[in-house]
Amino acid sequence: PELFTLVLTGGPETLFKGRERTAFERTIVPRFLSGRRWFAGKGKSITGTKLIDFAMLRSRQGRDDILLPLIEVEMRDGERHDYFIPLALEEAREEEELLPYAVARVRRGPRVGLLYGAGSSPNFAVSFLDAVRHGNEVPTAEGGQLRFTPTAALADYADVDPSEVKRLSAEQSNTSIMLGEQMILKLYRRLQHGIHPEVEVGRFLTEVAKFPNTPELLGSVDHVAPDGTSTAIAVLQRF
């Protein structure tokens, strides 16, 4: 289908306000989800989607062009799922290679760009790595935060250039991105509240047991709601 066009009236966060937010929730998200391999509601009708919360992450280039929304999806049978849908913004650019990942067109005056799945952006992956390495805490729109937590093991791994980033094609329930030849960033798509077993077990084996025969946990990223509820949205591991 033809891409919907959102209008930027200020910073990137204005895409999630007013009429643009309504269009994002009612039109853009249902279209986008229906074509994703990791969407768990295939074969079910979506009756509504809701933006739960979002944060902005500054890229390594110093621009606030990474949007990190969490979305609630309601099915016709009453079932509800939460999803993490990181997005990247390219203003005034409609590059052909980005169109397969495009979520919407974005217009600012006469200039048109793209809002697209951030997993396909090398700048997104290295910016996530930077945030984990520095232990950043990024405020969210609803008064929570995204908490980027490194383990001590990450200090042993060299920095990565965007040219070394590669998205793995075997995407199933998650999205995996290689960072050089040593690290892998896994984005959790369908979210579960509480401590994620993969993070919990990985942290124990890496930091407590010092077990050498499993990939080291290098870091994790959690959404922390204002009431303290924590939800894992990504994990960084040795490849």
Side-chain angles (χ1 to χ4, degrees):
E2 178 66 22
L3 289 173
F4 194 93
T5 299
L6 296 171
V7 178
L8 268 170
T9 57
E13 71 280 358
T14 59
L15 295 176
F16 294 152
K17 295 180 179 180
R19 292 185 303 173
E20 307 314 302
R21 174 171 177 160
T22 299
F24 181 76
E25 291 177 328
R26 295 182 180 178
T27 303
I28 293 169
V29 172
R31 284 184 184 178
F32 177 72
L33 287 176
S34 63
R36 301 308 105 187
R37 187 177 296 178
W38 41 259
F39 179 52
K42 286 184 174 60
K44 298 182 180 181
S45 297
I46 296 175
T47 56
T49 69
K50 177 184 177 183
L51 180 65
I52 301 171
D53 201 358
F54 74 92
M56 304 292 303
L57 182 65
R58 179 160 292 189
S59 69
R60 187 177 282 186
Q61 288 70 33
R63 301 192 303 265
D64 291 326
D65 53 7
I66 298 172
L67 297 87
L68 304 174
L70 278 66
I71 306 293
E72 181 187 79
V73 181
E74 183 175 0
M75 309 299 177
R76 190 172 298 280
D77 61 6
E79 190 174 358
R80 296 173 185 265
H81 301 169
D82 291 347
Y83 288 92
F84 177 45
I85 308 179
L87 301 170
L89 175 64
E90 290 282 355
E91 289 195 50
R93 293 174 63 189
E94 284 192 276
E95 297 183 12
E96 191 70 27
E97 64 267 24
L98 296 179
L99 286 175
Y101 310 104
V103 175
R105 285 190 167 86
V106 176
R107 180 183 299 278
R108 186 192 293 275
R111 301 182 302 168
V112 177
L114 288 176
L115 186 67
Y116 62 99
S120 60
S121 167
N123 288 323
F124 161 77
V126 296
S127 300
F128 239 56
L129 173 61
D130 291 346
V132 173
R133 197 181 291 280
H134 293 106
N136 290 356
E137 294 183 353
V138 179
T140 68
E142 298 299 326
Q145 65 177 218
L146 294 189
R147 185 174 295 161
F148 294 79
T149 306
T151 67
L154 182 56
D156 296 331
Y157 290 76
D159 200 6
V160 174
D161 187 82
S163 63
E164 301 175 273
V165 173
K166 179 183 179 183
R167 179 173 174 165
L168 300 183
S169 59
E171 182 176 78
Q172 296 297 331
S173 58
N174 304 303
T175 298
S176 295
I177 304 169
M178 281 187 65
L179 296 160
E181 298 295 326
Q182 291 188 300
M183 292 179 282
I184 187 165
L185 175 66
K186 181 187 293 184
L187 308 176
Y188 296 127
R189 292 305 199 158
R190 185 178 175 186
L191 304 177
Q192 303 292 335
H193 299 312
I195 300 174
H196 196 288
E198 184 173 29
V199 176
E200 182 179 29
V201 172
R203 193 176 302 279
F204 176 82
L205 292 175
T206 299
E207 297 191 320
V208 180
K210 310 294 184 182
F211 185 64
N213 299 319
T214 190
E216 290 178 296
L217 178 73
L218 305 180
S220 59
V221 186
D222 297 273
H223 173 266
V224 183
D227 66 1
T229 301
S230 181
T231 304
I233 61 173
V235 62
L236 181 68
Q237 298 167 313
R238 186 183 77 197
F239 183 66

